[in-house]
């Protein structure tokens, strides 16, 4: 899983992390087991992807955490930045 710069403080600076799971949610839970607190930055209290977060499975943007992933899929987290 590729980690955006603003969340790398949770992954000890790692840009990419290997995690296993059958769905996007499984991957995020595995990521949170390894790096506690990171899932809350991506998923809200209702279990939905936060509005400022994007998840790509390969080239496809997904919003449904139950989206299946294959072992060979590259999953990328992206965080929108605001400013002016």
């Amino acid at each position: 899983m590729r980690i955006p710069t603003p969340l790398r403080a949770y992954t000890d600076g790692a840009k990419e992390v290997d995690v296993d799971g059958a769905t996007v949610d499984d991957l995020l839970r595995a990521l949170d087991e390894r790096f506690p607190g990171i899932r809350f930055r991506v998923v809200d209290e209702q279990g939905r992807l936060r509005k400022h977060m994007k998840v790509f499975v390969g080239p496809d943007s997904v919003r449904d955490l139950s989206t299946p992933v294959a072992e060979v899929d590259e999953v990328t987290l992206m965080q929108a930045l605001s400013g002016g």
Side-chain angles (χ1 to χ4, degrees), residues 14-80:
K15 296 177 183 181
E16 294 185 12
V17 177
D18 289 330
V19 288
D20 293 322
T23 66
V24 171
D25 192 46
D26 290 344
L27 295 178
L28 291 172
R29 289 181 187 280
L31 186 66
D32 197 64
E33 283 181 28
R34 193 162 159 198
F35 304 104
I38 194 168
R39 186 176 187 277
F40 182 72
R41 301 294 179 234
V42 180
V43 178
D44 66 17
E45 294 86 347
Q46 288 77 37
R48 294 183 301 231
L49 195 61
R50 292 187 183 277
K51 292 182 182 186
H52 67 279
M53 294 301 301
K54 289 193 177 276
V55 176
F56 289 86
V57 177
D60 301 320
S61 176
V62 300
R63 300 276 321 155
D64 185 352
L65 296 180
S66 66
T67 300
V69 292
E71 190 173 322
V72 297
D73 284 335
E74 183 172 292
V75 178
T76 303
L77 297 179
M78 293 189 78
Q79 186 173 9

